[in-house]
Amino acid sequence: MRIHQLEIQAFGPFAERQSVPFDALSSQGLFLLNGPTGAGKSSVLDAVCFALYGSVPGARQATKRLRSDHAAESVAPEVCLEFSVAGRRFRIVRSPAWERPARRGSGTTTEQARTLLSEWKTGEWVQMSARNDEVGLEVQALLGMDKEQFTKVVMLPQGEFAAFLRADAKTRRELLQRLFSTTRFEDLERLFTEESQALARRLAEQEDHQRNLFLRAVEEAERHDLATTNLTADPTADASSSAGWAATMAELTRALSARWEQAAAESTELTEQSALADGALAALTRRRERFRTLAHLREQRRQHGSRAEEMAHLTREKERHDQASGLAALLELEEDAESGYRRADEDYREARERALRHATVGEYLAPDALAEDVPRPALQAALVEACASSSAALAVLRAALPDEKLLLRVRADRRRLDEEAARLDADILAADRSITDLQEGRAQDTRALDDRRAAADGLTGLREDLARALSAEDVVGQYASEQQRLVAAETVWASASGHFLRLKEAWLDALQLRLEQAAQELADALRDGDPCPVCGSPAHPAPVSSHAGRRVSLEEEQGARRLQAEAEAALQSARDERDRIRLRLAELAAGGGSDEPEAAAAASRLARSRVEKADAARRECVALEQRLAGVDAEEDRARTDREALHRERVEVDQRRASLTDQESALGERIAALRAAASSLSERVDEVQQASRRLEALRQAAEAADRAEENRGESRRRLGEALLLSVFETASQARDALIPDDRLAGIGRVLGEYVIAGHRLDAAWEDAAVQETLQEEQENPHPPSEADETDARTAAADLRGRAQRAVVGAEVLGHSVAQLESYSRRFADLERSAAPLRAEVSLALSVAETARGGGENLYKMSLATYVLASRLEQVADAATERLLQMSDGRYQLVHSDATAGNRRSGLGLNVIDGWTGNRRDTSTLSGGESFMASLALALGLADVVQQEAGGLDIETLFVDEGFGSLDDQALEQVMDALDGLRSGGRVVGLVSHVPELKQRIGAQLQVVKGRQGSTLRFVEQTAAV
């Protein structure tokens, strides 16, 4: 991973936008980030971490306040970072949540955090994601490290590693766990423990089952008072007593089986005796039952004879009902006629009352005709005449209903014409106002046209001014673009220059070696007898001998020469490109390109605003001219419309007069017909109701007369029938009639009485009854209840003893079966528990060893063992650099020695090469502790980098701590840091030590001020 560019705005102490050119800082492989205390050196590193992971390292994240207090209220905090990983270039833009001023009103509004990740593809930035969580996962996948690892690998905080150097095992474990995930090994420890516990629980369950079976077997035996004092095992014993439990269960089974066989024989003998006693009891019971049946039959015959008088009374009551049933129809007709007359008379009185309550009835029937003393025949004649008169009046009123509807339509039409006249008057008034408004608007538009024509003058000149301003702004933009290109060209030139110098130095070295080896090549080519190409002598007494070292051939020297020539050509090309850009910048500066971009943009905006205003005035002139051209035509149309409205108003007045005359004639006629009613329809309803009530009264009077005649006829026919019957009055006949349900009951009782008599006679003649009578004559003393009770008691006693014996034998048999079942299940459990005990012992031993106990002599858990392995790798990697920094004196070694009862595995010691002794790291001096801490940090970075998949970290930051070193130690540390630059790696030192400012040429200076800090890139010649 290499960092190329960082931009910071309103972040930490930086108010304005600051740019950090890491590519320029990295040109020498080592750069210095310096500045006074509190200026913001660490904030630059915080910005890098925030851009990648959305948070800053350490305790500063807890404040949750990243926006600069020096920035303006409306400026958003933002960090933009460009970096490359595995040949791909990315850009991250992050902004934390902040409170911005509300756009409306006072107060602030929370602006949520935002993130944008882009990748440089085919010459442009392509957006990958804009979600905070997705960008975080993508960055972690690209770098292979989380924030904790990144801050320990890329940003090396010396203070933390100095504390780590002197920390105890627990503190070291916490840091190592954050860097090297041991979750899977802790999961293994937990898995071993859980597995051993699960197996132990299974074994305990098996043994509990065995113990429960044994206790249940003992309990089963104790139910039968079987002695258990000679048991061979204790119920509370552990698994080693399972054999004793099995032997005891077998002994109990044999003893209980013997008892079962004896009980079965006793139950068989008692069952036979009980059967004989039950037979004797059954015979005695049957004899007593026959005598009880004879006594019961005699009692039934006595009770049947006692009901004879009651049955005779019921028979006479039924005969009198039969005589009265011939008059039942006439009695019912007489009752119906009486009730019909009462209803008809009541209806007549109600109809007369309704007629008296209706006022309109009096118009057709005299009030005295409805008096109480007027006979109904006289009233009927008056009612017929009144009904005819009301019907005729109703016909006349119904015939006049269309005239009333016509009157309503005439009145509606007249009201509509009134509304139409009012509307026309309003339209005429509106037309007058419209004409006045058109005349006033024409005057206003004329004055406005003069003003707009004056404002539109000079539009051509303003457009020329705008063109010149835009051209000047374009020149300023080109100037800024060329400045950026010049920076890039300068970088390319500097790189090409360095490359050329290195290749030239390599060629010169090869040429020097080639010249030094020329005599050796001539000596190698000499042969005895051949002339020397230098002196011509055939004798070669002392040719130059070969010396150790690399031989440079002519082809290698010429190849180095070609590479140097190619680099020189590339350098010349870079120089030409740089000079061309400088010339272009000079030309643009001559054309005003060096002016401020804000001033050029402001001039363009002012010129554009003037052109837009003049052009708008011109367009308004055209619109006003078009509007004035149409005003006269619109005024003519308005005058024509007003004249048409006047003509329509005259026509409406004429129609209103005609409708008024028609309304007057119809109103007089309808008023005469409706009398006091509000409308003719209401008058029709009144007359119709009166006609209906008169008709109802007439019909009720006729019905009352017919009901009175029917009642007299019914009474006459009933009197004639009574003369021919045994009854003197209708009341006697009605009293003799029996209701249907009682009549049915009497018939049922008489029938049942006869049937019961026949049944008793048949039962008395039964053979069993006759046999019992014969036995009674022979032995007048039947078996008593005491005899039966004695026999029953004896049979029940034998039966109970037999049942108890059978149940006892069955219980013993069931218990024997249970004990045998318990023994079989106990044996099955023992077969599965034996291998499980061995498995539990092994699992407990493995789990205890993984936790650092048991046979683990170092008391080191599995996770701690893995961390100890990582710490050993870190110590080995740190020793390589510590030997260089300490001039071969010190080495860091991992220690797994125990200290008392404490666990071991995470100890660190230092070996002093001068004394050969191993001692604790806390004995190192301040400068020695710094070198050890730096070596430890670099070693940890190498191991974490390797753990992350071997990701190439091309940018490192080392934070503070150099002030504790003397000159020699500082020189050795700087040599070690120079070694980190191998392979193109860039190392940034964060320090304010003055010596480093002289030694390091590329510097990023943080300048502190009241308005916030600023960043400044300084490139100077480094002191040797």
Side-chain angles (χ1 to χ4, degrees), residues 470-680:
L470 292 175
S471 178
E473 184 180 8
D474 183 59
V475 169
V476 172
Q478 293 180 21
Y479 183 82
S481 178
E482 290 298 325
Q483 280 185 319
Q484 295 178 355
R485 292 183 59 198
L486 178 59
V487 173
E490 292 281 2
T491 303
V492 173
W493 174 80
S495 177
S497 178
H499 184 58
F500 166 69
L501 292 177
R502 289 190 294 274
L503 292 178
K504 185 176 182 179
E505 183 179 359
W507 171 66
L508 290 176
D509 292 341
L511 181 61
Q512 180 67 29
L513 290 174
R514 177 68 179 158
L515 293 175
E516 292 175 354
Q517 297 170 3
Q520 181 181 342
E521 289 184 3
L522 289 175
D524 292 341
L526 292 177
R527 299 291 183 270
D528 293 337
D530 294 337
C532 176
V534 177
C535 65
S537 174
H540 315 295
V544 177
S545 60
S546 300
H547 61 274
R550 187 175 67 89
R551 295 284 296 273
V552 178
S553 65
L554 178 61
E555 289 78 8
E556 290 176 340
E557 184 270 329
Q558 290 177 349
R561 171 63 178 169
R562 284 193 301 273
L563 291 176
Q564 182 263 345
E566 291 174 358
E568 185 177 11
L571 175 61
Q572 183 61 38
S573 177
R575 183 183 295 110
D576 293 342
E577 176 65 16
R578 182 193 63 181
D579 295 342
R580 187 189 64 78
I581 295 174
R582 286 179 175 176
L583 180 60
R584 174 61 177 162
L585 280 173
E587 293 174 355
L588 292 173
S594 60
D595 295 343
E596 291 295 330
E598 293 79 4
S604 299
R605 289 194 297 271
L606 179 60
R608 184 179 289 105
S609 175
R610 290 175 178 175
V611 170
E612 290 174 353
K613 290 180 179 178
D615 190 56
R618 182 189 59 79
R619 290 194 299 271
E620 291 179 5
C621 287
V622 174
L624 288 172
E625 289 173 354
Q626 293 176 352
R627 189 160 59 190
L628 286 171
V631 166
D632 293 338
E634 188 174 355
E635 184 179 357
D636 292 340
R637 287 194 298 272
R639 293 182 182 277
T640 302
D641 294 341
R642 184 177 61 180
E643 293 176 358
L645 290 172
H646 279 295
R647 290 193 297 271
E648 188 175 356
R649 181 70 171 82
V650 173
E651 294 177 358
V652 168
D653 289 341
Q654 293 175 355
R655 291 200 301 273
R656 287 172 65 193
S658 175
L659 289 175
T660 301
D661 295 340
Q662 187 176 5
E663 179 184 4
S664 177
L666 289 173
E668 293 177 357
R669 180 184 175 192
I670 296 302
L673 290 174
R674 72 168 180 259
S678 60
S679 66
L680 191 61

Side-chain angles (χ1 to χ4, degrees), residues 299-317:
E299 178 63 21
Q300 288 181 336
R301 287 169 60 87
R302 185 191 63 77
Q303 292 178 357
H304 185 268
S306 64
R307 296 183 61 192
E309 185 177 353
E310 178 186 357
M311 294 301 105
H313 175 71
L314 290 176
T315 301
R316 289 192 299 270
E317 185 177 358

Side-chain angles (χ1 to χ4, degrees), residues 358 360-361 363-364 386-387 389-398 673-675 677 680-694:
H358 201 281
T360 309
V361 172
E363 298 178 8
Y364 305 102
C387 288
S389 299
S390 63
S391 297
L394 184 60
V396 172
L397 290 172
R398 286 176 175 170
L673 290 174
R674 72 168 180 259
L680 191 61
S681 299
E682 182 180 348
R683 177 61 178 172
V684 169
D685 292 340
E686 292 177 353
V687 173
Q688 186 173 9
Q689 290 180 5
S691 176
R692 289 175 179 173
R693 294 193 180 189
L694 288 171

Side-chain angles (χ1 to χ4, degrees), residues 213-227:
L213 286 175
F214 177 74
L215 293 176
R216 288 165 67 180
V218 171
E219 182 182 0
E220 190 71 29
E222 289 178 348
R223 288 175 53 195
H224 304 287
D225 298 329
L226 189 63

Side-chain angles (χ1 to χ4, degrees), residues 726-804:
V726 297
F727 302 101
E728 296 181 357
T729 63
S731 299
Q732 292 179 353
R734 286 191 181 92
D735 294 340
L737 291 173
I738 301 174
D740 293 340
D741 55 346
R742 174 169 171 72
L743 181 63
I746 292 174
R748 185 172 58 258
V749 168
L750 292 176
E752 291 174 353
Y753 180 77
V754 173
I755 293 172
H758 294 320
R759 187 181 298 113
L760 290 173
D761 293 341
W764 186 260
E765 298 298 330
D766 184 68
V769 173
Q770 295 298 320
E771 182 181 354
T772 304
L773 290 173
Q774 182 65 31
E775 185 179 356
E776 183 181 27
Q777 291 177 359
E778 295 175 356
N779 185 9
H781 301 289
S784 65
E785 184 177 357
D787 297 337
E788 184 178 1
T789 300
D790 294 340
R792 189 180 303 278
T793 300
D797 181 63
L798 285 174
R799 190 184 307 111
R801 290 171 58 192
Q803 289 176 351
R804 286 192 295 272

